[in-house]
Amino acid sequence: MNENVYNKKTKTIVLTLLFLTWIVNYMDKNSMNVAIISISKQFHLNPTQSGMIISSFFLAYAIMQLIGGWLTDKYGSKKIILISLIVWSIFTIFTGFAWSFLSLIIIRFLFGIGEGSFPSASSVALAENFPKEQRGRAKGLLSAATQIGAITASIVAALMISKVGWNVMFYVFGGLGFIFLLLLWKYLPERTQLNRNQEKPKVSYINVLKNPLAWKLMLIYFGMSMVNWGLSSWLPSYWVNVRHLALVKTGLISMLPIAFSLLAIALSSWAIDKIAAGKEKYIIIIGSLIGIISLYLTMGAASVPMALTFLCMAYFGVGLTSVVLALPLKYFSQESMGTTVGIMYFGGQMAGTIAPTLMGYTITIFNGSYSGAFTLLILSLVIPIVTSLFLKTNSHSTQIKGSNAA
């Protein structure tokens, strides 16, 4: 049955399209972390205001996680992916037309509304086209795409800003989104034959909210995302303002830590499909501990090479914790998967809302020192450790079925 239901060619097309779209997604999103350096100078913004611009996107993004996940369960992944891509591409272009601090806040908020449904919808698209025993690796590949997108954004954004300015950069990235909109519209399948042959039950949002595992996953993802978004938002400024590197060089130097993150994602994704099913919490705890130790060492690093080495270790540790992203695909039923992923991503994007502004405020009150900001990230990784101690995953106890409840 798997040969017919999970067609190899279809799986390849789905994974390739989603992989490339995630790269574009992160280019659109993470390029602001580099652009904010030039934007802050142009509009005379302090670190707190710069953090607010970044956080405005994540606030809307977090709100849409809950709504987008439920919509995906109800209407299917393809429709939600296409709508999301249209809206976020439009507001990526609009970002280039921003003329003030307030306009940036509004545009980036609307950008977050558009993009917020995509994570849940793309996860459900994987579940619609891949058997459970392959979903960990498939999700790991999409997680790798986010890291590649972050690398690409850092390098391309730095180069484009230095050559043509941040405005033009956003015009180009937004236009790229419309190219992938056409590709997804033409080649992304609606649902697999398996899903067409089965009557899709109504999703019980209340049942999903009652499941403690969904909230544990949210807390774990919140903690690791505080580090991910805190570092991605402020590392370019850290390299420029504290380590005194040129802007273009910050894009190049950012490649190495992300490469370590990619390695960790690949190892952990393979492990949960092959040898560590049901033992994911140990991977999360080990990764979090590596992150805590490495971030602490980064604070006291005496040179750029030492700081870079410790950051590579930190990214590797946090990369291991990304196994949490595959858990809804492996342990939740098809009809509640989008809602569950939405709850989990809600925690991650709330971290994205909090981390940039809180780190900016911490840097401000510490007179430009990043020690307080790194301490904040260290404390954030305690959350996944504590939550994982109470995490239990198995194929029987965590399944949530749809019901006739609204």
Side-chain angles (χ1 to χ4, degrees):
M1 184 176 69
N2 281 352
E3 287 296 322
N4 296 325
V5 174
Y6 301 109
N7 180 271
K8 184 176 181 180
K9 181 180 179 181
T10 300
K11 289 191 295 184
T12 301
I13 290 173
V14 169
L15 195 55
T16 301
L17 285 174
L18 291 178
F19 180 86
L20 294 174
T21 306
W22 265 109
I23 291 176
V24 174
N25 175 284
Y26 263 64
M27 287 175 63
D28 290 353
K29 181 163 46 184
N30 282 40
S31 57
M32 177 56 78
N33 300 332
V34 179
I36 197 66
I37 299 172
S38 300
I39 290 171
S40 297
K41 292 178 180 178
Q42 180 174 332
F43 295 124
H44 308 291
L45 308 178
N46 60 40
T48 301
Q49 290 174 312
S50 298
M52 289 174 65
I53 291 172
I54 297 172
S55 292
S56 64
F57 159 80
F58 286 105
L59 177 60
Y61 198 55
I63 293 170
M64 281 304 297
Q65 296 300 314
L66 299 174
I67 303 171
W70 178 79
L71 289 173
T72 301
D73 282 335
K74 189 173 180 65
Y75 297 108
S77 60
K78 183 173 182 177
K79 292 178 183 177
I80 304 303
I81 287 173
L82 294 179
I83 293 171
S84 179
L85 187 50
I86 290 172
V87 178
W88 101 52
S89 297
I90 289 173
F91 283 102
T92 298
I93 294 173
F94 280 9
T95 302
F97 291 104
W99 61 93
S100 66
F101 168 67
L102 182 60
S103 68
L104 279 164
I105 290 286
I106 295 172
I107 290 169
R108 297 303 287 184
F109 183 86
L110 295 173
F111 173 76
I113 290 289
E115 196 172 293
S117 299
F118 180 69
S120 299
S122 64
S123 292
V124 172
L126 287 185
E128 289 173 348
N129 292 279
F130 284 80
K132 286 187 177 183
E133 61 270 17
Q134 296 178 3
R135 291 176 188 174
R137 282 165 289 171
K139 185 60 180 177
L141 189 60
L142 293 194
S143 297
T146 67
Q147 300 300 311
I148 294 171
I151 292 175
T152 305
S154 297
I155 297 172
V156 176
L159 290 172
M160 290 189 70
I161 291 169
S162 64
K163 298 295 184 181
V164 297
W166 62 270
N167 309 79
V168 175
M169 177 194 70
F170 284 115
Y171 304 152
V172 173
F173 285 174
L176 189 61
F178 282 102
I179 294 174
F180 279 88
L181 174 68
L182 295 175
L183 291 173
L184 288 164
W185 173 74
K186 183 172 178 62
Y187 295 108
L188 188 67
E190 289 286 348
R191 283 177 183 157
T192 63
Q193 186 65 38
L194 176 66
N195 285 285
R196 288 196 298 268
N197 288 343
Q198 293 178 347
E199 181 182 354
K200 191 170 180 67
K202 293 182 179 180
V203 177
S204 173
Y205 205 105
I206 299 300
N207 281 357
V208 179
L209 291 176
K210 288 179 179 178
N211 187 353
L213 178 59
W215 295 100
K216 290 174 186 176
L217 298 183
M218 186 195 75
L219 284 173
I220 292 170
Y221 194 47
F222 173 83
M224 63 172 282
S225 296
M226 284 290 291
V227 180
N228 281 332
W229 292 120
L231 289 177
S232 66
S233 298
W234 285 102
L235 268 186
S237 299
Y238 170 78
W239 291 126
V240 171
N241 297 328
V242 177
R243 299 295 178 172
H244 309 296
L245 300 180
L247 181 61
V248 173
K249 194 171 183 179
T250 66
L252 297 174
I253 206 172
S254 298
M255 293 177 62
L256 194 55
I258 294 175
F260 275 78
S261 179
L262 286 171
L263 176 61
I265 290 170
L267 288 174
S268 58
S269 300
W270 173 83
I272 64 170
D273 272 349
K274 294 293 186 179
I275 61 174
K279 301 177 182 178
E280 296 86 357
K281 68 178 181 180
Y282 299 111
I283 298 176
I284 295 170
I285 291 171
I286 292 170
S288 299
L289 288 172
I290 293 173
I292 287 172
I293 295 169
S294 302
L295 289 170
Y296 176 77
L297 293 173
T298 302
M299 284 195 294
S303 64
V304 170
M306 289 297 292
L308 182 59
T309 299
F310 294 137
L311 279 171
C312 287
M313 293 168 57
Y315 269 78
F316 182 85
V318 177
L320 290 176
T321 68
S322 67
V323 297
V324 70
L325 297 174
L327 298 189
L329 280 69
K330 294 180 73 69
Y331 296 112
F332 284 79
S333 61
Q334 182 82 34
E335 62 268 20
S336 66
M337 193 173 297
T339 306
T340 306
V341 172
I343 292 171
M344 182 180 68
Y345 272 96
F346 173 77
Q349 306 322 315
M350 284 306 297
T353 303
I354 295 168
T357 298
L358 189 55
M359 286 186 68
Y361 177 72
T362 304
I363 293 166
T364 300
I365 64 175
F366 277 79
N367 297 317
S369 171
Y370 280 65
S371 295
F374 279 114
T375 301
L376 173 67
L377 301 184
I378 289 170
L379 294 175
S380 298
L381 283 177
V382 175
I383 299 173
I385 293 174
V386 174
T387 307
S388 294
L389 295 175
F390 302 95
L391 187 65
K392 295 181 180 179
T393 52
N394 61 72
S395 59
H396 300 292
S397 65
T398 60
Q399 290 283 326
I400 294 186
K401 304 295 183 185
S403 71
N404 291 329

